Amino acid sequence: MKIKTKLTIWFTILVAGILTISSLSVYLFSLAYRQEDFFTRLRHKAINTATLLLSIPNIDANLLRIIDENTIQSLRDVKVWILDDTKKILYSNTDSEATAKILPAFSYMRWTDSNFRTKDKQVYLCIVYTFKKNKYYVLATAEDYYGMAELRNLRLILIIVFSICMILTVFAALFNTRQSLKPIKDLIQQIDQIKASNLSSRLSVESKDEISDLAKTFNKMLERLEKAFETERMFVSNASHELRTPVTSIQGQLEVALIKDRSIDDYKKILSSVHDDIKNMATIINGFLELAEANTEPSAVKFEKVRIDELIFNIKDDFSKHNKHYNIAAEFDEIPEDEESITLNGNPRLLKIAISNLIDNACKFSKNKKVIIKIGFDKDNIKLKFIDEGIGIPSDELKYVFEPLYRTHNIGNISGSGIGLSIVYRIVTLHNGTINIFSEINKGTTVELILPKNIDSSINENQTDGIFKG
């Protein structure tokens, strides 16, 4: 069953219940009021008759009957009996036959106090009446014709009003449900149009309610999906593009080597060239793997306490073993008073990848192969500066350096994959940090990282923007 049908049914049932309770309440209150009103008027009629009979000496019974008949007004077919304390009938406005037929109904009444009861729409009243210290019994009975007629009319009116209201309720429920679910229907139509080819599309909702919140949540999911698809597409495209060159080179060299026998020196040259191509492939593959790791969802990254100076010196030691021609110097802007000043909450492996890439870039693009790392800190952040005297980055290309595989036009024949800064940017973003780049052509480049000390794993991916300065 569709939600639209469910809402219509439940809304109709709810309104029907409210109308039923309201109608029953009106009818029952009216019924109780009519009974109380009829009892009061019947009681007054019976007492008036007794008062006339007992207060006027030697009043004629026939005359009293005439008075009763002409003062009934809204009461119809009222029968009254007045008995003395021995229950002898002193007065009756009915004949003996009617009296003999009706009086047995009063045998079930209490004769000790005034009371009444209803049987077969007939009201029976017994009043203990004291006049001049003598006790009398006043009996009266009648049927509330007018009250019952009014109640029948009231029932008919309530039934008609209830029926009309239920018809209107059904139409109102259908209209209200249609209007309430219209945003969801529009949302479904928009979602149905989104395919893998247009994940950049976003849902739009004009209202500011729960439907809007749902659309915003769905849009965030689309952003994550788009990013995942784009990362996969980029990885496959870039990997195939970058790996094609070394694979083709290796294949060509091996085919040439197999055409004829060659000298040992020739084979050594070919193997050395193949080895260089394989090293280049390994660099590219490792770069893509690191980029994929840096693109991990923030919530999946594990953070822990990292002392930044120890991490930098460990990285420096690693470079000194494998890249002995690199000249790496690390120094503090000011000596920290305690280790907490230079400790941040981060992922040590990712931070190591980012810092290693910056060191490698600084040394690789500098003739003196030198980089100076300055370590600074304040109350909330740790600031790292990587300073080199390299070829610099053209000012008009600074905004592109964090794009995967982008390489500036002035790097010449210097090897590289163009992935390193993309990895750095993503890792810094994961740590809720900021990157600033200052660069001058042929004078050098300074890369500044500002990393907050205390962050959690629920980081806003889009919070960080790099600031590039020429």
Side-chain angles (χ1 to χ4, degrees):
M1 184 182 294
K2 290 188 175 182
I3 294 179
K4 178 181 177 181
T5 306
K6 285 183 179 179
L7 289 177
T8 302
I9 292 174
W10 281 111
F11 183 79
T12 304
I13 292 174
L14 178 63
V15 174
I18 295 174
L19 288 175
T20 300
I21 293 173
S22 301
S23 300
L24 285 176
S25 299
V26 170
Y27 182 78
L28 292 176
F29 278 119
S30 298
L31 176 62
Y33 171 78
R34 291 300 307 173
Q35 288 177 340
E36 183 67 26
D37 179 67
F38 182 74
F39 166 72
T40 301
R41 288 188 287 115
L42 181 61
R43 185 174 183 276
H44 288 164
K45 174 61 182 172
I47 291 177
N48 287 339
T49 300
T51 302
L52 286 174
L53 178 68
L54 298 175
S55 62
I56 300 175
N58 303 317
I59 188 172
D60 184 70
N62 292 327
L63 177 61
L64 186 57
R65 289 192 188 96
I66 294 172
I67 295 173
D68 280 346
E69 291 174 357
N70 288 275
T71 56
I72 290 177
Q73 297 179 355
S74 61
L75 292 176
R76 177 183 172 187
D77 195 20
V78 179
K79 301 175 179 60
V80 179
W81 297 268
I82 301 174
L83 289 69
D84 60 14
D85 57 352
T86 63
K87 298 182 181 179
K88 177 183 177 182
I89 299 176
L90 301 178
Y91 167 79
S92 172
N93 65 349
T94 63
D95 56 28
S96 58
E97 183 181 350
T99 299
K101 183 178 179 181
I102 297 174
L103 278 184
F106 289 93
S107 61
Y108 297 99
M109 306 290 290
R110 295 193 308 271
W111 294 79
T112 57
D113 58 355
S114 299
N115 60 99
F116 77 98
R117 70 188 183 104
T118 302
K119 182 180 180 183
D120 298 330
K121 300 181 182 180
Q122 197 79 12
V123 177
Y124 297 89
L125 174 66
C126 175
I127 302 173
V128 179
Y129 184 69
T130 303
F131 185 80
K132 293 183 179 181
K133 298 183 180 180
N134 295 318
K135 184 167 73 172
Y136 300 90
Y137 297 101
V138 181
L139 306 180
T141 182
E143 183 177 350
D144 188 9
Y145 296 103
Y146 299 108
M148 292 299 104
E150 289 181 0
L151 287 175
R152 285 194 296 271
N153 290 334
L154 178 62
R155 278 201 305 269
L156 180 61
I157 292 172
L158 289 175
I159 291 172
I160 293 174
V161 171
F162 179 85
S163 302
I164 294 173
C165 288
M166 287 309 302
I167 294 173
L168 294 176
T169 298
V170 172
F171 284 107
L174 290 171
F175 177 78
N176 181 64
T177 303
R178 185 181 293 110
Q179 291 300 111
S180 299
L181 295 180
K182 187 177 182 299
I184 296 180
K185 187 176 181 180
D186 295 340
L187 208 63
I188 292 172
Q189 291 177 348
Q190 293 183 56
I191 293 172
D192 192 51
Q193 299 300 318
I194 298 175
K195 312 293 181 184
S197 58
N198 62 337
L199 281 176
S200 59
S201 301
R202 295 294 179 266
L203 305 179
S204 60
V205 178
E206 296 180 358
S207 61
K208 295 181 179 180
D209 51 17
E210 289 79 0
I211 305 299
S212 177
D213 294 338
L214 176 63
K216 290 177 182 178
T217 303
F218 199 87
N219 283 337
K220 290 179 181 179
M221 184 188 73
L222 284 176
E223 289 177 7
R224 294 192 294 270
L225 288 176
E226 182 185 12
K227 184 176 179 181
F229 271 81
E230 181 62 23
T231 300
E232 182 180 357
R233 185 196 64 78
M234 182 190 70
F235 184 87
V236 173
S237 175
N238 293 341
S240 60
H241 178 270
E242 291 298 314
L243 293 176
R244 185 182 293 114
T245 299
V247 168
T248 302
S249 176
I250 292 172
Q251 182 180 6
Q253 292 179 82
L254 292 178
E255 288 176 351
V256 170
L258 292 173
I259 292 176
K260 63 178 182 178
D261 293 336
R262 301 177 182 275
S263 64
I264 295 176
D265 290 338
D266 290 337
Y267 281 124
K268 286 183 178 180
K269 289 179 181 179
I270 293 172
L271 290 175
S272 177
S273 178
V274 170
H275 180 259
D276 290 339
D277 288 334
I278 292 175
K279 283 178 62 179
N280 187 30
M281 286 179 60
T283 300
I284 294 171
I285 292 171
N286 289 333
F288 278 121
L289 291 176
E290 289 174 352
L291 182 60
E293 184 176 357
N295 280 327
T296 305
E297 282 293 315
S299 59
V301 178
K302 183 179 180 181
F303 290 87
E304 60 185 69
K305 293 292 184 181
V306 180
R307 183 166 166 172
I308 200 68
D309 59 333
E310 292 182 352
L311 181 63
I312 290 174
F313 287 119
N314 288 335
I315 295 171
K316 180 183 175 183
D317 292 340
D318 291 340
F319 271 105
S320 65
K321 295 177 183 177
H322 302 97
N323 301 83
K324 296 181 179 180
H325 55 291
Y326 281 6
N327 184 2
I328 304 171
E331 58 188 47
F332 288 100
D333 287 340
E334 60 177 298
I335 303 300
E337 296 181 358
D338 53 56
E339 65 177 24
E340 290 298 322
S341 301
I342 50 175
T343 300
L344 59 82
N345 190 34
N347 184 281
R349 169 167 169 73
L350 293 179
L351 288 173
K352 182 177 181 180
I353 292 173
I355 294 172
S356 298
N357 273 290
L358 292 175
I359 292 174
D360 187 55
N361 279 350
C363 294
K364 184 166 58 177
F365 294 105
S366 302
K367 291 183 179 179
N368 59 6
K369 306 299 180 185
K370 181 178 180 180
V371 61
I372 297 175
I373 306 172
K374 290 192 175 182
I375 306 171
F377 57 88
D378 56 28
K379 180 181 177 181
D380 301 315
N381 304 298
I382 291 178
K383 301 177 181 179
L384 303 178
K385 290 184 179 180
F386 298 81
I387 305 170
D388 67 56
E389 299 176 358
I391 61 176
I393 302 172
S395 59
D396 59 337
E397 297 187 54
L398 276 171
K399 59 184 177 181
Y400 303 113
V401 295
F402 289 141
E403 294 182 6
L405 301 176
Y406 184 84
R407 305 188 75 196
T408 59
H409 71 273
N410 64 329
I411 61 175
N413 296 323
I414 301 175
S415 62
S417 62
I419 301 176
L421 286 179
S422 299
I423 298 171
V424 173
Y425 177 78
R426 182 58 184 163
I427 291 174
V428 172
T429 301
L430 281 172
H431 287 78
N432 207 17
T434 303
I435 304 177
N436 299 320
I437 297 182
F438 308 84
S439 186
E440 291 186 43
I441 297 295
N442 297 323
K443 289 187 178 181
T445 301
T446 298
V447 180
E448 181 185 49
L449 302 186
I450 301 177
L451 301 170
K453 293 180 181 179
N454 297 308
I455 58 173
D456 55 35
S457 57
S458 57
I459 303 166
N460 181 357
E461 299 180 29
N462 300 318
Q463 185 172 346
T464 304
D465 290 322
I467 303 174
F468 315 113
K469 300 180 181 179

